[in-house]
Amino acid sequence: MRKNIRIKHALLGLLLAGATTLASASDAEQIAKGKSLFMNKKKGNCIACHMINDPDANLPGMQGPPIVAMQARFPDINILRAQIWDATVRNPNTIMPPFGRHWILSEDEIDAVVAYIYQY
Amino acid sequence: MKIITSWLAGAALALIAGMSSAASTGNTIATVDPEADRLALQAYFQKRFPEVELADYGNGIYALDAASRAQWEELEEFPPYEFDIEEGEELFNTPFANGKSYADCFENGGIGVRQNFPYWSEQQDQVVTLELAINQCRTANGEKKLGWKKGKIAQISAYMAFTSAGELIDIKVPNDKAKAAYLDGKAQFYSRRGQLNMSCANCHLQGVNIPIRADRTGPTLGHVTHFPVFRSKWGALGTLHRRYGGCQNNVRGTALKAQGEEYRNLEFFMSYMSNGLAVNGPGSRK
Amino acid sequence: MNKYLPLVAALVLSSSTVAAQSFEDVFNAQRALHGNGHAFTFEGEQYTTDHPEELEAAAPANATNAKALIASAKAMHAEVKAVGYDWTLTKGILKNASKALKAGDFQKAMNLAAQAKYHARMGVAQYHNSKQSWLNMVPE
């Protein structure tokens, strides 16, 4: 697990000396993709229920917890991923759709959303 | 290791949640108790919104959200459904080809009876909604059925609701067969559906008055009192089953048939939950 | 003290449920954490976190395989419709799969059919789950 976090942090542009430009470029793309999924009503539509401190987040909903302190709340980024994949595992009565289990988003799309919200 | 402990915690919470709520509600014909369900639902809302009068729940989300209530009251000053009530009255009073009319099919000539629908019909062995009764009246008199969701049927239903304004919803569950229909409606209300995996309860119980973008979902207590409804989004009047279909599509579930057994049973359950609240249809909503 | 009894009971129960986790639970947990294409073991056997439908779509992309996958997706779709738990997007995905087949894009046809078939299977699962889980949502 630990190793995994480090890799993700590296991808966030901290390390990987050799492939720095490549990694950060694709990472920026990943984050941009995640952001568009977060905002898009026909895709993630996360903004319908979650506040996020992004100036482009217009009229976010409040059904779910706000997207804040994500790295502190989910030191293991994969647990965050799993929460998006199927939130009913932790809370059987949640209103949150199981984005992975019901294939609402593809696995790549879930990774992109994770990359975007993990910055907050 | 961390994952496993947090899963454990999650599973434990799940079991606690499951045990505490499932224990006290009826889920068989022998144990289901509509009156206990209704009181539990009222208690849930009164605990959550202690400042809101029970009678105000007929006003839906506007009972809870002061900001949108002002806009709605402004809208209601020139009710968008007024024309529909007039049309409905005319349709209601126009005789069929055989000389009979709707008044001949209903108790009290169809005036002031909305609060008794839907009811369990012993004779038909099913739940009869007002719209179903309207179309049964037509076919019994040699007329064609109307479409279930909008237009004339909604206008006639609106007029009949209007003549019942202030009457208190009074749904009865007279026997075990009716109980089975009620229980089916109850299970439907709490069952997750569609790709988004949501039950009616997710939005209209748990999620009530919490913003979804700029919208807030209304409480299920008092949900049925204002139907049929003029929705700004439709720009027209529509029946409760039209709204059911829209809701189901919103959670990406294929809508069931209007006036099919499932929706009629759901209406039976939801109407029982609103027993004691005043008929105030037709209403207007966003 | 009484207050804590259910908690203790729940913890004991849950450790036994964890011990008796089904393949499906473990598969879903692994897929949730790692996405597709991830290896894991269950009761000593090696598996990957790919849905059966995705494995079917990984067969050689040709007209025969695409047709077969679309046909089995349609069969599963009929099953979910029969229990009234059909999802709105599945029909369109199936239509696009048939279009891709016609256009000779067999891989695309197979990927779409796999998704539609998975959706239909999950709808059937949702129908079965709801029979137990609806009670959890009823207020006391």
Side-chain angles (χ1 to χ4, degrees), chain B residues 30-108:
Chain B
T31 58
V32 73
D33 181 348
E35 196 54 13
D37 289 348
R38 185 179 74 90
L39 295 174
L41 191 78
Q42 281 188 359
Y44 172 88
F45 279 110
Q46 288 191 301
K47 193 175 165 196
R48 195 160 147 196
F49 305 104
E51 71 289 359
V52 176
E53 295 284 334
L54 201 56
D56 209 18
Y57 277 91
N59 294 322
I61 188 60
Y62 310 116
L64 312 179
D65 180 29
S68 58
R69 184 169 188 134
Q71 289 177 356
W72 173 67
E73 280 174 346
E74 215 166 284
L75 178 70
E76 287 270 335
E77 277 179 35
F78 301 97
Y81 46 76
E82 214 160 33
F83 166 79
D84 289 304
I85 296 175
E86 285 167 23
E87 283 288 295
E89 182 174 10
E90 203 174 317
L91 289 164
F92 185 87
N93 290 324
T94 305
F96 303 130
N98 68 0
K100 296 211 171 182
S101 75
Y102 291 107
D104 297 312
C105 297
F106 292 92
E107 266 180 46
N108 199 38

Side-chain angles (χ1 to χ4, degrees), chain A residues 39-54:
Chain A
M39 306 293 177
N40 186 335
K41 189 171 179 190
K42 293 197 163 151
K43 297 300 272 179
N45 199 21
C46 319
I47 192 177
C49 298
H50 297 279
M51 305 222 284
I52 191 164
N53 188 21
D54 182 321

Side-chain angles (χ1 to χ4, degrees), chain B residues 125-147:
Chain B
D125 201 28
Q126 64 173 350
V127 170
V128 176
T129 62
L130 182 59
E131 286 78 14
L132 181 61
I134 289 170
N135 262 343
Q136 285 180 342
C137 179
R138 292 181 62 84
T139 49
N141 286 292
E143 301 285 329
K144 272 195 200 154
K145 273 189 200 169
L146 300 171

Side-chain angles (χ1 to χ4, degrees), chain A residues 48 58 62-63 92-94 102, chain B residues 192 195 206-207 210-213:
Chain A
N58 185 30
M62 293 170 68
Q63 290 277 348
N93 287 348
T94 184
H102 279 192
Chain B
R192 293 179 180 276
Q195 192 183 24
Q206 272 180 0
I210 303 171
I212 301 177
R213 285 311 278 272

